[in-house]
């Protein structure tokens, strides 16, 4: 376990703050233009100038744009370990000659443990992890450059197909199949959006990549989210393809950046798939692999839920899909 350090935990808060701030930049862009052009505000003009410059300088999402010096400088892995007692357990033997799609659940607010997974794969397997983000991220100035330096790539199908064929050390991609919808599940029960999500399976079949179930216990607890999957906020988010999530932090502050003190356990399951590319998979082939993945994810959950302690397991005995009705907590 990393020793307690103010520096480590400040870096963690900066990491969390960056991700949270990124949620608000896009809708605030009209205000920036208003301040820079109509109000002649110097600060807004400087930010606008930097934003324009950011779009002038070429951006290369993927291996070319990933920056190891920046990752080492900004890593909050030690902060995750000391603040959350975070740990990672892997049952997957990553082969450098094969490609893998690490399918991360639950979405929660965001994948806060990415730095932990990144460092684990690099240290133990020599893998330079890439991860997919919503395409809108690459339209947000400044933010898109930081995300690219961390290893972000587009979530579009064409980009996924390209990146899931890359040679070692870039042969592993982390995806979040539940997307924005997943941010509205897991409020009271451990529940993920997976029953209807099959696109990631189709892409894996087409590229011959293996699917690796990944679950982070405690991810639903580090902030208090307020609206569920049937809420108006969830429906609006789906329509505009941007999250409208409301949450409070450790001190009850709306949209705060201080996470709750909760244990985080990341588990990676055995790889699923044959590794043989199928150019045009049938729906039946997709359904078979998807069913195998669902079973693998639930079994992974059951094998490792004990790591959260007896009281936690009593409240979260079972992992549910969005199509399943959770049993009321006694």
């Amino acid at each position: 376990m990393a020793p307690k350090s103010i520096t480590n935990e400040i870096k963690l808060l900066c990491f969390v703050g960056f991700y949270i701030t990124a949620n608000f930049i896009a809708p605030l862009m009209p205000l920036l233009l208003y301040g820079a052009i109509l109000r002649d505000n110097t600060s807004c003009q400087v930010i606008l100038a930097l934003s324009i410059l950011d779009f002038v300088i070429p951006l290369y999402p993927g291996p070319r744009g990933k920056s190891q010096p920046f990752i080492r400088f900004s890593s909050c892995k030690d902060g995750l370990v000391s603040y959350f007692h975070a740990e990672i357990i892997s049952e997957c033997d990553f082969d450098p000659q094969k490609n893998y799609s690490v399918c991360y659940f639950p979405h929660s607010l965001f994948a806060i443990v990415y730095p932990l997974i990144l460092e684990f794969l690099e240290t133990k397997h020599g893998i330079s992890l890439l991860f997919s983000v919503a395409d809108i991220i690459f339209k947000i100035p400044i933010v898109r450059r930081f995300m690219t330096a961390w290893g972000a790539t587009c979530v579009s199908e064409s980009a996924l197909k390209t990146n899931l064929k890359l040679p070692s050390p870039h042969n592993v991609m982390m995806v979040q199949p539940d997307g924005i919808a997943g941010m509205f599940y897991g409020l009271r029960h451990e529940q993920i959006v997976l029953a209807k999500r099959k696109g990631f399976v189709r892409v894996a079949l087409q590229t011959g990549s293996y699917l690796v179930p990944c679950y982070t216990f405690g991810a639903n607890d580090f902030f208090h989210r307020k609206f569920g999957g049937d809420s108006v906020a969830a429906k609006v988010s789906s329509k505009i393809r941007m999250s409208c999530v409301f949450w409070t932090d450790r001190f009850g502050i709306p949209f705060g950046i201080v996470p709750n003190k909760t244990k985080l356990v990341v588990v990676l399951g055995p790889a699923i798939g044959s590794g043989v590319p199928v150019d045009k998979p049938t729906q039946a082939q997709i359904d078979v692999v998807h069913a195998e993945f669902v079973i693998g994810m639930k079994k992974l959950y059951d094998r490792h839920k004990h790591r959260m302690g007896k009281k936690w397991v009593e409240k979260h005995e079972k992992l549910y899909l969005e199509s399943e009705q959770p049993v009321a907590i006694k």
Side-chain angles (χ1 to χ4, degrees):
M1 182 179 294
K4 285 285 184 180
S5 164
I6 293 178
T7 301
N8 288 341
E9 297 193 357
I10 287 177
K11 289 179 75 172
L12 172 62
L13 289 178
C14 288
F15 175 74
V16 174
F18 170 83
Y19 263 89
I20 287 175
T21 301
N23 279 278
F24 298 100
I25 291 179
L28 289 178
M29 287 303 293
L31 290 178
L32 175 65
L33 291 171
Y34 172 78
I37 299 172
L38 299 180
R39 303 297 297 179
D40 200 29
N41 183 278
T42 302
S43 298
C44 290
Q45 290 172 340
V46 170
I47 295 173
L48 180 61
L50 290 174
S51 300
I52 294 172
L53 180 63
D54 178 70
F55 281 104
V56 171
I57 300 173
L59 189 71
Y60 303 101
R64 186 177 175 183
K66 189 175 180 181
S67 170
Q68 289 301 136
F70 175 74
I71 290 172
R72 285 192 294 270
F73 170 76
S74 62
S75 175
C76 62
K77 176 256 182 183
D78 288 339
L80 285 165
V81 173
S82 65
Y83 190 88
F84 295 110
H85 295 179
E87 60 179 315
I88 183 167
I89 298 97
S90 177
E91 301 175 354
C92 182
D93 296 321
F94 291 94
D95 186 333
Q97 302 303 315
K98 299 175 181 178
N99 289 90
Y100 300 86
S101 177
V102 173
C103 304
Y104 181 93
F105 291 91
H107 193 294
S108 185
L109 201 57
F110 67 97
I112 193 172
V113 293
Y114 171 72
L116 184 67
I117 300 173
L118 183 150
E119 186 163 321
F120 170 81
L121 291 177
E122 182 175 358
T123 303
K124 187 168 183 179
H125 299 282
I127 292 168
S128 181
L129 181 66
L130 300 174
F131 67 103
S132 63
V133 296
D135 291 351
I136 192 173
I137 291 294
F138 295 102
K139 298 177 182 179
I140 303 176
I142 314 300
V143 169
R144 69 194 198 117
R145 203 157 293 275
F146 282 100
M147 296 294 283
T148 297
W150 273 322
T153 68
C154 295
V155 76
S156 64
E157 187 168 316
S158 59
L160 287 175
K161 287 180 179 179
T162 297
N163 291 317
L164 283 171
K165 293 179 181 178
L166 292 173
S168 178
H170 305 291
N171 56 315
V172 179
M173 163 77 69
M174 190 175 93
V175 299
Q176 292 180 272
D178 50 356
I180 290 174
M183 302 173 79
F184 295 91
Y185 284 81
L187 277 65
R188 297 185 68 244
H189 308 271
E190 294 299 297
Q191 188 173 26
I192 58 177
V193 180
L194 177 57
K196 297 180 180 179
R197 297 299 170 98
K198 300 184 179 181
F200 72 102
V201 176
R202 184 183 68 252
V203 171
L205 284 168
Q206 291 173 327
T207 57
S209 55
Y210 291 84
L211 296 170
V212 179
C214 175
Y215 200 85
T216 298
F217 294 91
N220 285 320
D221 304 323
F222 68 85
F223 282 116
H224 299 295
R225 288 165 293 140
K226 302 298 182 181
F227 303 118
D230 294 327
S231 65
V232 173
K235 293 174 183 177
V236 171
S237 296
S238 177
K239 289 290 185 182
I240 66 175
R241 295 180 180 274
M242 287 179 62
S243 64
C244 298
V245 179
F246 179 85
W247 73 89
T248 55
D249 72 355
R250 180 179 176 182
F251 302 108
I253 300 173
F255 306 114
I257 68 169
V258 183
N260 296 314
K261 282 265 190 177
T262 183
K263 185 177 182 181
L264 294 178
V265 180
V266 186
V267 290
L268 298 167
I272 295 170
S274 66
V276 179
V278 180
D279 187 40
K280 295 181 179 180
T282 64
Q283 189 60 51
Q285 289 174 309
I286 294 171
D287 290 343
V288 167
V289 177
H290 181 268
E292 186 179 356
F293 182 85
V294 170
I295 292 171
M297 178 62 77
K298 289 196 172 189
K299 286 184 176 180
L300 180 69
Y301 182 93
D302 289 337
R303 282 197 302 275
H304 294 281
K305 61 188 177 185
H306 70 276
R307 298 178 185 277
M308 294 297 289
K310 184 178 179 180
K311 289 186 178 180
W312 191 94
V313 173
E314 287 175 353
K315 293 182 179 180
H316 309 288
E317 176 67 26
K318 183 179 177 182
L319 174 63
Y320 296 94
L321 304 188
E322 80 279 15
S323 58
E324 299 172 331
Q325 183 62 42
V327 176
I329 300 173
K330 295 181 181 180

